[in-house]
Amino acid sequence: MVIIMLGAPGTGKGTVAGILTSKLGIPQVSTGDIFRKHIKEQTELGKLAESYISKGQLVPDDVTIDLVKNRLKDSDVQNGIILDGFPRTVKQAEELDKILNKEGKKVDIVINLTTPEEEIIERIVNRRVCSNQDCKTIYNLVLNPPKQEGICDKCGHELIQRKDDNVETVKSRLENYFELTSTLVEYYEKQGKIYSALVSKAINKLGEDVAEDIVKYIENLK
């Protein structure tokens, strides 16, 4: 099964995708994590990605498409994949369809998460991530704080704040997201593959609750 996670930064895509991975046994692949790994290692791809990400801009399509195309060849995703952060444009979606078609596969469901903008900003500014690349557990200092300040509950590694998790960059990222991906939602709506869900503390429905609803929906599709 091929699942795509859509949603602006801070809507909880990573949280929901992580729960789906646990429940469905399908690997989560985040282009953001792959880019951050390259940035940390200061590879040529990492330097190129950082020049865009640090300004709140999206990495160019051709770079991102090649990255995902290579990842889809790995053995661990042959029976299913949850794509988090890709595609983000119609061009990327079209290329993904072509790549999957060659393998006799298709996109099965596109999960579109929405959250009020003021909540998104609050979440991202208070977001902390485990520095252990094998863990990468996400916390929120307000909604889901760690038991011990600055330390991951699961593995004991230090929690860090991503460099781009600040108000100015977040607003820029949101502007870019809505400008470029509104047509992407339409693209998948026409295919009848969109599952939309509101993630908001205003209705007392956060990532864990939404993930449970999605699992039930997917089970009914089988």
Side-chain angles (χ1 to χ4, degrees):
M1 174 169 280
V2 177
I3 300 173
I4 291 174
M5 300 295 305
L6 290 184
T11 54
K13 293 192 304 299
T15 297
V16 173
I19 295 173
L20 293 181
T21 289
S22 176
K23 296 285 187 179
L24 303 174
I26 301 174
Q28 172 193 2
V29 174
S30 165
T31 50
D33 286 342
I34 298 173
F35 280 134
R36 278 186 286 275
K37 181 177 183 294
H38 280 274
I39 289 172
K40 183 178 181 180
E41 297 174 356
Q42 283 295 287
T43 63
E44 288 304 311
L45 176 60
K47 293 175 183 178
L48 177 60
E50 186 172 30
S51 68
Y52 292 93
I53 294 172
S54 63
K55 298 174 185 175
Q57 300 174 351
L58 297 179
V59 178
D61 282 343
D62 55 347
V63 177
T64 307
I65 290 168
D66 284 343
L67 181 78
V68 173
K69 185 176 182 179
N70 289 331
R71 183 66 179 88
L72 287 170
K73 295 177 182 178
D74 293 340
S75 59
D76 65 320
V77 299
Q78 295 311 302
N79 293 324
I81 186 171
I82 299 172
L83 283 169
D84 174 13
F86 182 91
R88 285 189 172 175
T89 65
V90 171
K91 178 182 177 181
Q92 290 180 5
E94 291 173 341
E95 289 301 315
L96 176 62
D97 284 344
K98 292 177 183 177
I99 294 169
L100 292 174
N101 285 339
K102 289 181 180 179
E103 300 296 325
K105 301 176 181 178
K106 62 180 177 61
V107 173
D108 294 287
I109 180 174
V110 180
I111 299 164
N112 183 38
L113 304 180
T114 60
T115 299
E117 185 172 331
E118 62 273 14
E119 283 192 43
I120 289 177
I121 294 173
E122 180 185 36
R123 283 183 191 176
I124 293 182
V125 170
N126 286 289
R127 181 167 60 188
R128 298 295 183 271
V129 183
C130 180
S131 57
N132 178 6
Q133 284 298 305
D134 293 326
C135 178
K136 298 181 292 186
T137 299
I138 300 173
Y139 297 85
N140 185 285
L141 299 183
V142 176
L143 300 173
N144 178 37
K147 295 176 182 177
Q148 182 179 349
E149 184 178 352
I151 301 297
C152 178
D153 295 345
K154 293 185 177 180
C155 70
H157 279 68
E158 179 187 8
L159 299 181
I160 59 174
Q161 182 177 29
R162 296 170 182 163
K163 288 195 300 182
D164 52 335
D165 282 358
N166 58 76
V167 174
E168 183 178 340
T169 304
V170 170
K171 287 184 176 180
S172 177
R173 288 166 67 192
L174 288 175
E175 184 177 340
N176 279 327
Y177 176 82
F178 291 121
E179 179 181 347
L180 291 173
T181 58
S182 58
T183 53
L184 183 59
V185 173
E186 294 176 4
Y187 177 82
Y188 285 118
E189 280 180 338
K190 290 177 180 177
Q191 296 182 17
K193 295 179 178 179
I194 288 284
Y195 176 101
S196 293
L198 175 63
V199 183
S200 173
K201 63 182 181 181
I203 62 170
N204 196 31
K205 199 142 191 171
L206 300 179
E208 294 84 355
D209 308 302
V210 170
E212 291 295 334
D213 290 343
I214 294 170
V215 169
K216 293 177 183 177
Y217 178 80
I218 289 175
E219 288 177 345
N220 289 331
L221 289 178
K222 297 178 181 180

